[in-house]
Amino acid sequence: MAKPIYVLNGPNLNLLGKREPAVYGHESLNDVRARTKARAKAVGLAIEFRQSNDEGELVNWIQEARDNASGIIVNAGAYSHTSIALLDALQAAELPVIEVHLSNIFRREAYRQHSYVSQAAKGVICGLGPKGYELALEAMAETLAGTKP
Ligand code: DQA
């Protein structure tokens, strides 16, 4: 079986469902994990779905993905806007990267409108809530199958 897609979630995403539901919706991270896993199965991919509040742990997981994954889907939360370390790790991974945000970061505060992660990403999906994770999986499947440039 092909290597899994690492689906990595950053700080405060463990609070999904409870945290600012008007912005991030009512689904928990476990709900998001379940729908992402189901979509992965439907497109013939396996996932490794993780969350950490710790920037260093996310860097370690990206380094691990370099050898153990076939692609990375990442919602780095607030670290998207601050972390050159995550950007460096993603660039070093030499894997297709798709960035996801639940909220539309371009409709929000100015400090959310720049993402370091985007510089390593093939594409960015934002503002579509948990559906974004499913769309990222579909795009990843097409990318890996070579049906999309
Ligand atoms: C987020 C957007 C970030 O600006 C924020 O810090 C988050 C979540 C999103 O999924 O919309 O924690 O990445």
Side-chain angles (χ1 to χ4, degrees):
M1 182 145 182
K3 293 176 182 177
I5 308 303
Y6 273 33
V7 184
L8 302 180
N9 294 279
N12 300 305
L13 291 166
N14 54 312
L15 298 178
L16 267 192
K18 297 180 210 146
R19 170 196 185 201
E20 298 182 82
V23 177
Y24 298 116
H26 293 275
E27 285 188 30
S28 69
L29 192 63
N30 257 337
D31 295 334
V32 177
R33 180 200 309 268
R35 67 152 80 205
T36 305
K37 204 170 175 182
R39 178 64 58 176
K41 199 173 172 200
V43 298
L45 294 174
I47 59 165
E48 179 68 31
F49 191 101
R50 299 182 190 173
Q51 186 274 333
S52 179
N53 293 328
D54 185 325
E55 185 178 9
E57 187 162 41
L58 291 162
V59 168
N60 287 338
W61 287 346
I62 293 165
Q63 290 187 5
E64 178 189 312
R66 194 179 195 283
D67 294 324
N68 295 350
S70 51
I72 300 173
I73 293 171
V74 58
N75 180 353
Y79 292 145
S80 316
H81 316 302
T82 62
S83 180
I84 297 170
L86 283 183
L87 170 60
D88 284 350
L90 288 166
Q91 283 175 333
E94 294 177 358
L95 291 170
V97 174
I98 300 178
E99 179 180 8
V100 173
H101 296 281
L102 295 151
S103 64
N104 181 352
I105 56 173
F106 300 106
R107 284 184 70 167
R108 301 186 64 195
E109 300 92 334
Y111 57 80
R112 296 186 200 275
Q113 294 178 21
H114 172 266
S115 165
Y116 285 104
V117 168
S118 298
Q119 291 177 46
K122 179 176 168 64
V124 183
I125 298 169
C126 76
L128 302 177
K131 179 80 185 170
Y133 286 74
E134 295 186 57
L135 295 172
L137 245 309
E138 283 182 21
M140 186 63 82
E142 289 182 358
T143 298
L144 295 175
T147 56
K148 284 274 152 69

